[in-house]
Amino acid sequence: MTKSILLVEDDVDFAESVTASLRGAGYHVDSVGRVADARERLLRQTYDLVLSDINLPDSEDLDVIESLSVGERPPPLILLTGEGTFDRAVQAILRGAFDYLRKPVTRSRLLEVVEKAVAARALAGDIVTLPCDSDAGEGLVGQGPAMTELFKEIGRAARQPAPILILGETGTGKELVARAVHRYGGRRDGPFVPVNCGAIPETLVESELFGHEKGAFSGAQARRFGRFQEADGGTLFLDEVGDLPLSVQVKLLRVLQEREVRPLGGTPVRVDVRVVAATHRDLEAEVRQGRFREDLYFRLHVAPLRLPSLRERREDIPALIACFLRRQAADGPPLEIAAEALRLFQEAPWPGNVRQLENAVRRASMLTAGRVIGPDPVCRALGEGGEGTASDTLIEEWIGRRVAGKTSAEPALLRQLEAKAIAAVLHRTGGRRLEAARLLGINRKTLREKIALYGLEVPGNDPGEG
């Protein structure tokens, strides 16, 4: 079917030149010279694309964008101007234009951009209506069985005063669960104090958690309250508690038992704090290997909450994407997504879980020209094409599974795909783990654990990269 274009241009000679170029390429073109006439046409007829000058008799500068955005899903708009500036080009894209071309424009460049815009318009017929999880408490999104059960467990655990241990892979949302426990528990009016135990230098952990008095050590020039005292009457969230040194684990256990902290150089202070701890580590294995105290493990393991990986709850990916797109939309409606693009998101391995998915959605949104995310920006965001390709073999396997109509929810196969993707990226980067972690959207610690889990060989295996 012939694609139709509406040209809005008051320069008759330029309009005739553009019309001839477009018709020569097989497009149907209608041309008008005023915004009012263009709006009337758009209300009566469906177009695949609008090309418009920004200096028109009845419109001021970029206001033409809003004036020509007619209907629920208006056609893409390409702006033409003889006075292009960096600021104006940026503002045009921010306000919803598909592209911005400066006159004079060559025929090849014009047809290249028009072809992209028309292809983007075609995606509108393949748009998926994403579920709207408007009741996503604390940012927790999901209506599948795994998340539904987790929500119930959060409700049961929040009522109890005992410590809670949240278990799950990196990127699954452990802090969101901790905040939900705080919100629905009896301490919601008190402070919520998060601490990343893995990010504190070992020499400062004790002072950070328990505080210190002036002069307690070299550099302690003033008294400082620790995080336990900051969280008094509320909740202290100890993220990555498995990274705490053994010497600090002993003191943490004492605080949990005696409900008092001893600042460095000071006397004991009573605290009323609920501790919610989290880790991506297998603490039972850490206990067996002597890296985590067994008594502290049992003290924390009273009410464990296990977060499912994204691979275990793929049915929630559409709702998560909807949430991320709404969050990214500063003004106006969020971007929409085509069915094939959504399918690519649903079938990716996601070793970095929800955090990796959010980053990929953000990248795909930035790479999208127009209002519909298609498969091309998703492929680029996932590193499937050109620079950063994860694995041609992996892509072929995904395509083969789609053609065969097979589900992606088989855990054993998902682990195989994840292992292949990580191995392919390690091979591509020559064993450079920092670069591999960046391409995979995970941190180096998670990458090291995945390498060990799957027994992968690292090319070059430079110890300094570990």
Side-chain angles (χ1 to χ4, degrees), residues 228-229 232-233 254-255 257-263 267-273:
F228 269 92
Q229 288 170 279
D232 194 32
R254 185 179 302 122
V255 173
Q257 292 172 336
E258 300 176 3
R259 304 184 70 83
E260 65 179 25
V261 297
R262 183 186 292 272
T267 57
V269 178
R270 297 291 296 177
V271 289
D272 178 22
V273 175

Side-chain angles (χ1 to χ4, degrees), residues 369-415:
R371 303 186 181 186
V372 181
I373 299 174
D376 286 346
V378 174
C379 287
R380 292 171 64 189
L382 295 175
E384 283 190 19
E387 201 64 29
T389 297
S391 166
D392 293 339
T393 303
L394 184 61
I395 297 168
E396 290 170 5
E397 185 154 357
W398 284 351
I399 293 172
R401 286 175 58 73
R402 288 203 299 274
V403 171
K406 296 178 181 177
T407 178
S408 303
E410 304 152 39
L413 184 51
L414 292 174
R415 287 193 293 271

Side-chain angles (χ1 to χ4, degrees), residues 9 53 59 66 75 82 92 110 135 152 167-168 171 270 283 294 349 359 388 400 405 409 418 425 439:
E9 174 59 71
D53 191 5
S59 180
E66 285 74 23
L110 174 67
D135 191 32
K152 290 187 287 186
L167 305 170
R270 297 291 296 177
L283 286 189
E294 185 177 36
N359 290 337
E418 181 178 74
V425 172
L439 291 174

Side-chain angles (χ1 to χ4, degrees), residues 71-72 93 140 183 219 235 261 435:
E72 183 179 351
I93 300 303
L140 288 168
R183 175 185 176 186
T235 302
V261 297
E435 183 180 350

Side-chain angles (χ1 to χ4, degrees), residues 144-384:
M147 290 302 287
T148 300
E149 186 59 33
L150 175 63
F151 296 157
K152 290 187 287 186
E153 290 177 2
I154 289 172
R156 288 191 287 265
R159 296 196 305 263
Q160 306 300 323
I164 290 178
L165 180 62
I166 303 172
L167 305 170
E169 295 180 9
T170 297
T172 48
K174 294 187 284 294
E175 183 170 339
L176 294 179
V177 172
R179 290 184 180 276
V181 168
H182 175 73
R183 175 185 176 186
Y184 293 104
R187 296 171 178 267
R188 65 178 67 89
D189 296 328
F192 177 87
V193 179
V195 181
N196 187 339
C197 300
I200 307 172
E202 187 170 339
T203 54
L204 299 178
V205 174
E206 190 172 347
S207 172
E208 184 76 16
L209 292 180
F210 310 128
H212 63 253
E213 296 293 335
K214 180 179 179 180
F217 53 85
S218 177
Q221 299 178 356
R223 184 187 187 193
R224 176 181 176 177
F225 289 118
R227 296 304 183 94
F228 269 92
Q229 288 170 279
E230 289 179 20
D232 194 32
T235 302
L236 178 66
F237 174 51
L238 298 177
D239 195 11
E240 298 304 345
V241 71
D243 292 348
L244 283 177
L246 285 168
S247 59
V248 178
Q249 293 177 29
V250 176
K251 297 179 179 180
L252 174 59
L253 177 63
R254 185 179 302 122
V255 173
L256 294 176
Q257 292 172 336
E258 300 176 3
R259 304 184 70 83
E260 65 179 25
V261 297
R262 183 186 292 272
L264 291 172
T267 57
V269 178
R270 297 291 296 177
V271 289
D272 178 22
V273 175
R274 180 178 196 172
V275 171
V276 178
T279 182
H280 71 285
R281 297 183 181 277
D282 181 347
L283 286 189
E284 289 187 1
E286 295 290 299
V287 168
R288 289 193 299 270
Q289 295 172 27
R291 291 194 292 261
F292 199 84
R293 291 184 61 91
E294 185 177 36
D295 46 6
L296 178 58
Y297 170 70
F298 286 123
R299 185 75 184 185
L300 293 174
H301 202 258
V302 177
L305 296 174
R306 181 188 173 276
L307 272 67
S309 70
L310 188 57
R311 301 177 298 283
E312 298 172 273
R313 46 179 293 227
R314 290 175 181 272
E315 67 277 4
D316 292 328
I317 287 178
L320 286 163
I321 292 175
C323 176
F324 300 148
L325 292 178
R326 285 197 305 273
R327 194 180 297 168
Q328 291 169 198
D331 294 299
L335 292 176
E336 297 178 286
I337 188 167
E340 179 62 18
L342 178 61
R343 188 154 44 245
L344 287 169
F345 274 126
Q346 288 182 301
E347 296 184 357
W350 302 122
N353 291 293
V354 178
R355 185 181 302 150
Q356 184 189 6
L357 171 63
E358 182 173 12
N359 290 337
V361 171
R362 185 180 295 113
R363 288 196 297 273
S365 300
M366 293 173 63
L367 294 168
T368 294
R371 303 186 181 186
V372 181
I373 299 174
D376 286 346
V378 174
C379 287
R380 292 171 64 189
L382 295 175
E384 283 190 19

